[in-house]
Amino acid sequence: MPRPTVIVLHDNEEWLPPFQRAFEAEGVVLEPWHLGERAIDLDGVAPDAVVWSRLSASAHTRGVPHALDTASAILSWAEAQGRRVVNGSRVASLEVSKVRQHALLRAAGLDAPRTIAATSDAALAAAARQIGSPFITKHNRGGKGLGVRRFDSPEELDAALAASELERPIDGIALVQELLVGRDASITRAEFVGGRFRYAVRVDTSQGFELCPADACRVPGADDAAEAKPAPLFRLRPEITAEHPLIRDLEALLAREGVEIAGVEFIETIDGRTVPYDINTNTNYSPDVEAELGDRGAAAAVARFLGALARDQASVAVG
């Protein structure tokens, strides 16, 4: 029987080592397909492998502007041939659209932040006057905190627009969103593997909103800043379990949308709200948290989950 194989679609090889180690320990081949360097024989037979999409909304910032189109093409090709796909073509469009994420959160009855989408400077300025101050702007196709900026008045935004100070969103859609004030300088990220809750981490936001927990995301000087702080940037929240009402609602939402691996961010506000605002279907894990959890970590769970699917795929191919 051939070795079980998982093809991972990605745009950043620096995010892969924790998964490569976990898959090696699981005895499963992890075969990377970079989304900027592919040729697809549309008349060929898709490999007998599980296809796992790690499409990132911020791929265009790493020189892969057409990652969504490439991922969608590969996923559709594999799906049409009956291959097992994890976070497939339907999920790809969710990863790159905060508008769609917001719509799904609202449809699930969750307390998503008040948000207006705008496709021009004039619409953005009008939205600022409608949403109320203070507010933030962000990009619809986000990741890495793209376009996140606080404004205390519409006039402040007007000045930024007049000075061409705002970074333009890659898809032409910018968001104006109510400013949520947390009860402390943190958000929480809940991790799901195989559609099931694994753990939640508190993420310190006192240094800003570059929330990627992977080693590859650390910026120069970050280690020094972390050493000067009394608490780590990422730490487990064991009091949040699968029985938490929001976690149950999120599991149901992810199941409806076919999202099998994801991290969902939410904030607990000073006025008592619990507000989910971002669904990340390309999720990285804090190495410190993962080291603390060992075999109970999310990377190991991903390898076990996808490894089991790959073994099923391999046995069907042999049979």
Side-chain angles (χ1 to χ4, degrees):
M1 180 180 295
R3 288 186 67 190
T5 299
V6 173
I7 293 169
V8 56
L9 311 183
H10 73 99
D11 66 85
N12 186 1
E13 64 183 11
E14 293 182 349
W15 288 345
L16 295 182
F19 297 105
Q20 291 168 327
R21 292 190 293 269
F23 276 79
E24 183 177 356
E26 190 66 17
V28 177
V29 176
L30 186 65
E31 182 179 330
W33 284 18
H34 192 279
L35 291 170
E37 304 168 358
R38 297 311 311 168
I40 311 164
D41 183 354
L42 298 181
D43 292 321
V45 177
D48 289 321
V50 170
V51 180
W52 171 31
S53 174
R54 282 183 50 79
L55 168 69
S56 168
S58 59
H60 59 283
T61 69
R62 289 181 292 279
V64 195
H66 304 299
L68 170 61
D69 306 282
T70 304
S72 297
I74 295 172
L75 294 168
S76 297
W77 173 67
E79 288 165 349
Q81 296 196 31
R83 297 298 182 264
R84 181 63 164 91
V85 172
V86 173
N87 286 3
S89 54
R90 181 180 174 190
V91 177
S93 64
L94 181 65
E95 166 65 20
V96 300
S97 176
K98 294 190 185 302
V99 168
R100 185 169 176 226
Q101 293 172 25
H102 185 277
L104 292 176
L105 291 168
R106 284 290 194 197
L110 298 173
D111 184 14
R114 171 87 169 101
T115 305
I116 300 175
T119 58
S120 69
D121 286 357
L124 196 64
R129 285 161 171 81
Q130 184 178 348
I131 205 92
S133 300
F135 58 88
I136 63 171
T137 60
K138 61 172 61 173
H139 291 180
N140 176 56
R141 186 176 295 189
K144 296 173 60 177
L146 290 175
V148 176
R149 180 168 170 179
R150 172 179 172 153
F151 294 93
D152 290 313
S153 70
E155 291 74 23
E156 188 180 336
L157 174 61
D158 292 342
L161 291 171
S164 299
E165 292 177 356
L166 291 189
E167 182 182 12
R168 300 299 174 177
I170 187 67
D171 62 355
I173 303 174
L175 307 180
V176 179
Q177 193 170 87
E178 66 170 311
L179 177 67
L180 298 172
V181 180
R183 65 188 186 189
D184 59 15
S186 74
I187 60 96
T188 297
R189 185 177 175 112
E191 302 292 355
F192 300 83
V193 177
R196 307 297 294 177
F197 175 71
R198 293 299 303 178
Y199 60 73
V201 293
R202 178 191 184 276
V203 186
D204 188 327
T205 59
S206 61
Q207 301 300 306
F209 279 84
E210 167 55 88
L211 303 181
C212 171
D215 275 330
C217 297
R218 292 179 178 171
V219 297
D223 290 338
D224 294 338
E227 288 177 4
K229 294 167 60 175
L233 292 177
F234 302 89
R235 67 184 186 198
L236 281 170
R237 292 195 61 185
E239 76 278 13
I240 295 181
T241 71
E243 300 308 311
H244 189 288
L246 176 60
I247 299 302
R248 292 201 301 266
D249 288 340
L250 291 175
E251 281 191 348
L253 184 158
L254 296 177
R256 286 193 298 272
E257 296 305 312
V259 180
E260 296 181 272
I261 299 173
V264 182
E265 293 168 6
F266 64 90
I267 185 170
E268 294 160 296
T269 68
I270 196 169
D271 56 350
R273 296 166 63 190
T274 300
V275 186
Y277 63 88
D278 200 10
I279 301 171
N280 299 274
T281 65
N282 168 49
T283 187
N284 292 295
Y285 307 117
S286 162
D288 295 334
V289 170
E290 290 284 285
E292 180 179 347
L293 290 170
D295 289 342
R296 296 181 293 116
V302 167
R304 287 193 297 270
F305 169 61
L306 293 176
L309 297 179
R311 290 186 182 94
D312 289 343
Q313 181 86 56
S315 64
V316 169
V318 171

